[in-house]
Structure formats: C-alpha cells, structure tokens
Amino acid sequence: MGEIFAAEESAGESHDAAPAQPSRSRRRTAGKAAKRRRRRRSTVLIVIAALLLAGGAYVVVDFLAPLFSGDSTEEIADYPGPGHGSVQVVVNPGDTGTAIGATLAEAGVVATQKAFSDAYRVNVDAPSIQPGSYDLLLEMSGADAVVALLDPARRVSYKVTVPEGLTADQIYERVSAITTIPVADLAAAAADPAIGLPAEAGGNIEGWLFPATYSFEPGSTATSVLTQMIAQTVAVFDTAGVPVEQRQAVLIKASLVEREGRSAEDRAKIAQAIENRLGREMKLDIDASLAYGLGKPGTGLTNADKESDSPFNLYRVTGLPPTPIASPGEESITAVLNPTPGDWLFWVAINLDTGETLFANNLADHDENVAKLRAWQAANPG
C-alpha cells in the first residue's frame, strides 16, 4: 500500500533523503474531513436503525393488537342473513330504533347497532314495532330483523281467553293453566294495591276481572296480569260513561244478568225485571246468587238451601248481593245500562239446553211458565 501523502522533492536534495512530512495545517484539515465523514456515516446508520425499529414495531403492533383488544381488523358491518339458530329478545315500551338495535347487537341477532338502525330508518313501518318478547334468529341482516319484529307471529306471549260469567277463583285457575303463575300467587295479588282495584270495589276483586282474550308476556307476574284485566273493566266503564259511584252497582247487576240470561235480548229483559223488582222492594229470588254464596252449582241447589243465612241468598235478602257473583261481559253491562222497557217481574228458562226464557208480570203466569220448565226437566232427566 502506498503512503497517504506523497513525498515532495526539493531542488538540490538527494533522492535517498528522508521523505518530507505534511504541514500541520494540512494534517488538521484532513482530520476534520475524516471526522465529518464518520459523523455522516453514523447519522445514516442511526436513521436506518431507527427506521428498522419503527418498522418492526409497526409490524408487531399490527399483528398483536387484535389479540389484546379482542377486535377484528375486518369488522362486519351487517350480516348477509338469513340467520340461524334461535334467540329471544325483549323490546321494551318506549324503545327507539337505536335502543332496539343495541339490544339485538348484544344478543347476536345483528352485527352492529348501526346495521339495525339504518334499516329501521328506511322502513316506514318500523315505528309500529310493538313492545314484547320475540323469537329471532342469530346473525340476521338489519333489514330482516326489522321485518321479523313487525311480524306478529314472532311475538312470544301466552294467550288466555277468559269467558263471561266466571268467578275470580275460576279465572285464577284458567290463567295459571296457561301462564304457570301459581293460583296462590294470583289470589294473593288480589289484595295488592298495585293492581289498581278501584275504591268502589271495596277491596273485593270479584267481577272486576274483565272477560276477554289476553296476551301476557313471558315473565308476567300475578300483579301485572290482574292489573291488565282490571284496567280493561275500567276502560269499558269509561267508554260507556258510567259514573264512578255507580260502577259497583252496575257490575253487581250485570253479573246477575250474565248468569241468568243467554241471549242479548233476554239479558236486556232480565235487567229490566231486576229494576222493576228492586223498585217494588221485592226480593230478587235469583238462584245464581244463592249458588255463588254456597259455593255450589245452580243445578245442585235444594229447597233447604233457600233457608241459608248467606248474604247472597236473595230469597231472604232484599236488594242486591254484597258483591258481583261473576265477571260479566260487555253485553250484560250494556243490558243493565240500556234495559228493554217492560213490566216484567218474573223470568224462567224453560229449556236448559237452549236457554229459552219466558217472562211474566204476575205470579199466575209465572207459575205456568215454571210448570213448562218442570215438564222439560221430566223429559230430560239428568
């Protein structure tokens, strides 16, 4: 290798003399240049190392972040549907489309709240979605979920039909058989102020459980069931314009009419006959009331029962019984509010199969009608 600096020759000097040394200033200049080159190389190396570290860190973060956050880098905005499996969700009263979407997303029905909210917004029927429990699929599209919630067949409920003329105890049995709410719970709830029993009922629920077909949601309580049925009775009275102070009397009369008459025509006549007897302070002599007070069927009454001291024995008590004897339907309530004008004082069903009823305004004619009943009974024993 040659020397870094070439030897300089001066005139008159011998070629075998010692080589000349560079000057001090040249050595200083050369040293500074070398330092600058070293600094440039160090800076480049540092930059390259930093880039490598940054790139590696990005790769590590990009790869490991989902493992720590639990999120997928490819979030599904909406499922394609149609879905699978089954899940039950509840739409609460007052829920907005956003609230419903949150419920569905949490249950796994839709991919995101937004998927449902967007579909809800463009479906003109969506605001008519009713509160309740629904059977839906998992992983439905937002649009399909809206349609499903608008389908009455998707609603989960217990349908209970309460026919006219049942007592409270009979209604408890019917409700319990469908909803599985214990009869004891229903009977206990009858004393709960939360059911909304009006003050004029005097704390007795008899007659106030309106006969109709009800849909009770899963999880309904004894209190909520009775509340709904009482509210229906109140609504019927409000629609008919019955004053509050007259409701209990109307309900008692309507319960008697319900148990005594079959057709709407007969009920309106019986309602008038009751008014006529009350106006004359005559005993009502109604078997159905006596049977209720004794807790036995009307067909099981005997002459001895008429001597009972029950407050429901209208053969001995003048006026109305202390409470309704059953839950009357709207037809019987209407009959009491709008009885057929007439002077009848007596009525009797002369055919217990068809319910054919004859009316009379005097005892002699009534006795003749009773003889027709006895003849029918003789021809139809048992």
Side-chain angles (χ1 to χ4, degrees):
M1 292 178 61
E3 299 289 337
I4 296 176
F5 300 109
E8 293 183 358
E9 294 181 0
S10 298
E13 289 184 347
S14 167
H15 287 288
D16 55 359
Q21 297 296 320
S23 66
R24 182 176 297 175
S25 62
R26 291 187 61 187
R27 286 196 305 269
R28 191 164 41 249
T29 299
K32 289 180 179 179
K35 287 181 180 180
R36 284 196 296 271
R37 287 194 296 272
R38 285 194 297 272
R39 281 199 297 268
R40 282 197 297 269
R41 285 196 297 268
S42 297
T43 301
V44 171
L45 289 174
I46 291 171
V47 171
I48 291 174
L51 289 174
L52 288 174
L53 289 173
Y58 174 80
V59 171
V60 170
V61 171
D62 189 50
F63 179 76
L64 294 180
L67 299 180
F68 290 99
S69 66
D71 296 331
S72 171
T73 55
E74 295 182 4
E75 183 180 356
I76 299 174
D78 193 8
Y79 294 126
H84 62 88
S86 178
V87 65
Q88 192 173 107
V89 297
V90 176
V91 175
N92 297 305
D95 275 359
T96 62
T98 300
I100 298 173
T103 298
L104 299 186
E106 183 177 355
V109 175
V110 295
T112 61
Q113 180 190 64
K114 186 176 185 300
F116 180 84
S117 298
D118 289 347
Y120 183 98
R121 190 165 45 253
V122 300
N123 189 316
V124 295
D125 295 324
S128 64
I129 291 174
Q130 298 297 307
S133 298
Y134 293 83
D135 271 334
L136 301 177
L137 303 178
L138 295 167
E139 298 188 356
M140 302 179 75
S141 70
D144 286 347
V146 173
V147 173
L149 291 175
L150 288 168
D151 183 0
R154 293 278 190 173
R155 287 195 67 180
V156 180
S157 62
Y158 299 113
K159 290 192 180 297
V160 180
T161 298
V162 177
E164 296 84 352
L166 295 187
T167 64
D169 287 342
Q170 291 171 324
I171 292 172
Y172 298 157
E173 294 283 353
R174 184 171 287 264
V175 170
S176 178
I178 302 299
T179 65
T180 71
I181 298 173
V183 169
D185 289 359
L186 291 163
D192 187 345
I195 63 176
L197 186 66
E200 58 269 26
N204 194 314
I205 200 173
E206 192 68 81
W208 285 89
L209 302 176
F210 195 78
T213 297
Y214 296 91
S215 293
F216 299 122
E217 301 294 333
S220 293
T221 64
T223 298
S224 67
V225 166
L226 299 187
T227 298
Q228 186 174 342
M229 300 177 78
I230 292 171
Q232 186 61 32
T233 299
V234 173
V236 169
F237 278 144
D238 287 344
T239 299
V242 180
V244 171
E245 64 274 12
Q246 297 180 20
R247 288 177 175 176
Q248 184 74 349
V250 169
L251 204 56
I252 292 173
K253 294 174 184 177
S255 72
L256 297 173
V257 169
E258 186 68 56
R259 297 299 297 269
E260 289 288 304
R262 291 275 191 94
S263 68
E265 180 182 358
D266 287 346
R267 286 172 178 162
K269 289 181 178 180
I270 293 172
Q272 183 61 61
I274 288 174
E275 294 297 336
N276 293 340
R277 292 178 76 93
L278 290 173
R280 297 191 182 192
E281 295 188 354
M282 294 176 64
K283 294 181 179 67
L284 294 181
D285 295 348
I286 295 178
D287 288 349
S289 180
L290 175 58
Y292 175 84
L294 296 177
K296 61 194 302 184
T299 55
L301 290 175
T302 66
N303 286 329
D305 290 331
K306 294 181 181 180
E307 302 303 317
S308 164
D309 60 0
S310 166
F312 292 89
N313 183 1
L314 302 186
Y315 286 96
R316 298 187 65 178
V317 176
T318 300
L320 296 171
T323 71
I325 63 172
S327 286
E330 192 165 359
E331 192 174 87
S332 293
I333 293 174
T334 299
V336 170
L337 297 175
N338 300 283
T340 301
D343 60 354
W344 309 288
L345 295 171
F346 306 92
W347 68 92
V348 61
I350 62 171
N351 186 318
L352 301 184
D353 286 341
T354 65
E356 180 184 355
T357 301
L358 296 180
F359 295 81
N361 59 10
N362 61 80
L363 185 57
D365 288 345
H366 177 61
D367 287 343
E368 289 184 10
N369 293 336
V370 171
K372 293 178 181 179
L373 168 62
R374 300 299 179 229
W376 183 91
Q377 289 174 322
N380 300 271

